[in-house]
């Protein structure tokens, strides 16, 4: 790895939380509102509540594992180190699908926005322009990416808050459901749990940002901030989704006011606040989507970096870090190339595939807690440790498994095809499974991936 640099530790707690919230795209609740409302028969907040409960259990598991394995790689690394390297690769390969596709989803959403505003322009212009700009920003430095992400995120959150305020006054005036406090958005006649679970799988990809922050572990000033960053991200993101979905569902009890159910965000802005508010609301959606694009583009390039340093992907290309920018250049450009496919795919199809990979990753992260603490290190010695290391992650695994079983058929089919490709690649890589994945390890390359944490550097300097 001669000539390769390291990842720079320059991200604090709130920078990491900001990247996570940016990844989650706060305004996406309005993009998918029509689809989920139709699926759940007007119970979008219920779908978000179910998804949030599942994510909280899973966030506890991520917080435990990131302390044990303080490096980028997320579910791939945890499964590889606590179960078997081969299974770890397959989990990493499966979750790689959602990480690779989310930047493309953001590009696709931008394309849809621009198509609605400038319908006569060729589609490829918006896709190429977005991809070039995003790739260029992420290539420069992680610190710059985090700063720009933060600015865009704040603007998006301000506009989501404005929507809730406007909806509050309209509800007071008797519009929509005509009430402020009601259980109707969560449960009413015609709402069935099976439909809510299906709706929860649709909104599940909105929460991916909370686990993606683990990709920045090698760039965190202190590894100890990571569990807190993970939990703050999932709780804050979940609260934003729940409140926004609650007011939207009260104001729009059904989809009768929307002409475009697949993405009613522009119409929600127009009906709620008129043309001026719609303009700012769309600008906020642009800002949130770009913020998510920056965060997701940066995080998947880190996952590819870890798999490159482990040797399961070509090390010279995927494991390279530019010594000047401290960024994995090849991986960032590759993700940009994948974004170009946003010219052809539909939002429904890509988001379905994302959910398959995400739920597989969430399930295995919960299982790795049990594997590590109960079996590898045998730290389950009393009722308290059993609750933390067996009961909690078991509930998380069961809940994510239930959501996985509720996925749409297109998600299951596409995901299983991607998994089959991974199995074939693993067979070729290991020469028909005669070699172990561990034989490709290069401990020196992995250790040299990032600077030591700030606390370790300060210790060495004081000595």
């Amino acid at each position: 790895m001669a000539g390769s640099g390291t990842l720079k530790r320059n991200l604090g707690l709130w920078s990491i939380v900001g990247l996570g919230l940016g990844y989650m795209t706060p305004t996406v609740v309005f993009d998918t509102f029509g689809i989920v409302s139709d699926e759940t028969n007007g119970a979008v907040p219920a779908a978000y509540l179910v998804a949030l409960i599942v994510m909280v259990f899973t966030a506890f598991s991520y917080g435990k594992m990131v302390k044990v394995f303080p490096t980028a790689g997320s579910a791939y690394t945890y499964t590889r180190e606590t179960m078997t390297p081969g299974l770890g690769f397959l989990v990493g390969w499966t979750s790689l699908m959602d990480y690779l596709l989310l930047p493309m989803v953001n590009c696709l959403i931008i394309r849809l926005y621009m198509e609605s505003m400038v319908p006569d322009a060729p589609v490829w212009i918006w896709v190429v322009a977005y991809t070039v700009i995003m790739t260029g920003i992420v290539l420069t430095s992680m610190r710059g990416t985090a700063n720009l992400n933060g600015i865009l995120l704040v603007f998006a959150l301000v506009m989501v808050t404005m929507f809730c305020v406007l909806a509050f006054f309209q509800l007071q005036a008797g519009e929509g459901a005509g009430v402020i406090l009601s259980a109707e958005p969560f449960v009413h006649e015609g709402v069935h749990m099976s439909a809510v679970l299906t709706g929860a799988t649709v909104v599940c990809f909105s929460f991916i940002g909370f686990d993606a922050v683990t990709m920045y572990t090698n760039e965190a000033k202190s590894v100890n901030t990571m569990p807190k960053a993970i939990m703050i991200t999932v709780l804050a993101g979940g609260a934003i989704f729940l409140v926004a979905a609650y007011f939207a569902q009260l104001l729009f009890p059904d989809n009768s006011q929307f002409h475009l159910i697949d993405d009613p965000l522009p119409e929600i802005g127009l009906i709620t606040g008129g043309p001026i508010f719609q303009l700012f609301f769309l600008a906020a959606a642009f800002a949130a989507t770009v913020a998510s694009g920056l965060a997701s583009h940066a995080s998947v390039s880190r996952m590819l970096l870890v798999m490159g340093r482990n040797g399961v992907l070509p090390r010279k290309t995927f494991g390279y870090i530019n010594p000047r920018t401290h960024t994995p250049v090849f991986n960032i450009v590759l993700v940009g190339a994948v974004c170009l496919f946003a010219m052809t795919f539909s939002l429904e199809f890509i988001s379905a595939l994302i959910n398959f990979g995400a739920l597989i990753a969430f399930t295995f992260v919960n299982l790795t807690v049990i594997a590590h603490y109960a079996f590898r290190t045998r730290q389950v010695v009393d009722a308290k440790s059993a609750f933390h290391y067996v009961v909690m992650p078991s509930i998380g695994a069961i809940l994510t498994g239930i959501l996985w079983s509720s996925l749409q058929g297109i998600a299951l089919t596409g995901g299983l095809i991607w998994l089959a490709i991974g199995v074939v690649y693993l067979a070729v890589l290991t020469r028909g499974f005669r070699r172990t994945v561990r034989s490709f390890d290069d401990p020196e390359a992995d250790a040299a991936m990032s600077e030591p944490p700030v606390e370790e550097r300060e210790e060495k300097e004081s000595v």
Side-chain angles (χ1 to χ4, degrees), residues 379-388:
Q379 295 185 46
V380 178
V381 294
D382 52 26
K384 182 179 179 180
S385 58
F387 176 78
H388 284 290

Side-chain angles (χ1 to χ4, degrees), residues 39-41 43 186-199:
E39 185 70 49
T40 60
N41 193 25
F186 295 94
V187 58
H188 56 263
E189 187 178 352
V191 175
H192 302 289
M193 192 61 192
S194 59
V196 171
L197 286 173
T198 302

Side-chain angles (χ1 to χ4, degrees), residues 32 107 159 281 396 398:
T32 58
C107 184
M159 295 314 298
F281 201 52
I398 291 169

Side-chain angles (χ1 to χ4, degrees), residues 9-301:
R9 290 193 178 275
N10 57 4
L11 297 180
L13 171 65
W14 295 109
S15 292
I16 296 171
V17 170
L19 283 164
L21 290 176
Y23 202 127
M24 293 170 80
T25 323
T27 57
V28 76
V29 62
F30 305 108
D31 289 306
T32 58
F33 180 82
I35 297 172
V36 182
S37 183
D38 189 50
E39 185 70 49
T40 60
N41 193 25
V44 177
Y48 273 106
L49 181 60
V50 170
L52 176 59
I53 292 170
V54 175
M55 296 309 126
V56 167
F57 279 97
T58 305
F60 275 114
S61 293
Y62 270 103
K64 290 180 175 67
M65 297 312 294
V66 77
K67 289 190 292 186
V68 179
F69 302 105
T71 183
S74 194
Y76 159 69
T77 297
Y78 309 153
T79 308
R80 167 190 165 90
E81 299 300 331
T82 63
M83 295 182 180
T84 68
L87 181 59
F89 170 80
L90 292 177
V91 170
W93 177 267
T94 306
S95 59
L96 184 61
M97 178 172 64
D98 67 86
Y99 283 115
L100 271 174
L101 292 180
L102 196 60
M104 188 172 77
V105 163
N106 292 304
C107 184
L108 201 159
I109 290 173
I110 291 292
R111 188 202 88 192
L112 293 173
Y113 289 158
M114 295 308 298
E115 278 186 280
S116 66
M117 294 173 63
V118 192
D120 295 330
V123 169
W124 67 266
I125 289 179
W126 313 121
V127 174
V128 172
Y130 172 89
T131 299
V132 170
I133 294 170
M134 288 297 100
T135 304
I137 294 172
V138 179
L139 276 172
T140 55
S141 75
M142 195 61 230
R143 180 73 259 170
T145 300
N147 289 339
L148 180 56
N149 171 84
I151 295 169
L152 296 173
L153 175 64
V154 168
F155 176 52
L157 292 177
V158 167
M159 295 314 298
V160 171
T161 303
M162 282 296 299
F163 163 79
C164 293
V165 171
L166 290 171
F168 178 89
F169 286 113
Q170 289 196 13
L171 289 168
Q172 269 196 329
E175 296 188 32
V179 294
I180 302 298
L181 298 176
S182 173
E184 289 286 308
F186 295 94
V187 58
H188 56 263
E189 187 178 352
V191 175
H192 302 289
M193 192 61 192
S194 59
V196 171
L197 286 173
T198 302
T201 66
V202 175
V203 304
C204 187
F205 85 97
S206 303
F207 285 87
I208 292 175
F210 92 85
D211 75 299
V213 301
T214 61
M215 298 297 173
Y216 309 122
T217 304
N218 291 97
E219 291 153 287
K221 291 178 181 178
S222 173
V223 173
N224 294 330
T225 65
M226 293 308 299
K228 187 183 296 185
I230 292 167
M231 189 55 68
I232 291 174
T233 300
V234 71
L235 290 176
I240 293 166
F241 291 142
L242 264 178
V243 173
Y246 175 79
F247 279 106
Q249 192 69 81
L250 282 176
L251 196 58
F252 306 102
D254 54 50
N255 290 330
S256 60
Q257 297 187 60
F258 305 137
H259 293 96
L260 185 62
I261 295 176
D262 286 348
D263 191 351
L265 183 145
E267 292 179 84
I268 289 175
L270 179 63
I271 297 169
T272 305
I276 300 299
F277 178 73
Q278 182 192 37
L279 181 63
F280 282 98
F281 201 52
L282 274 171
F286 268 87
T289 304
V290 170
S292 178
L294 287 170
S296 58
H297 201 134
S299 65
V300 67
S301 67

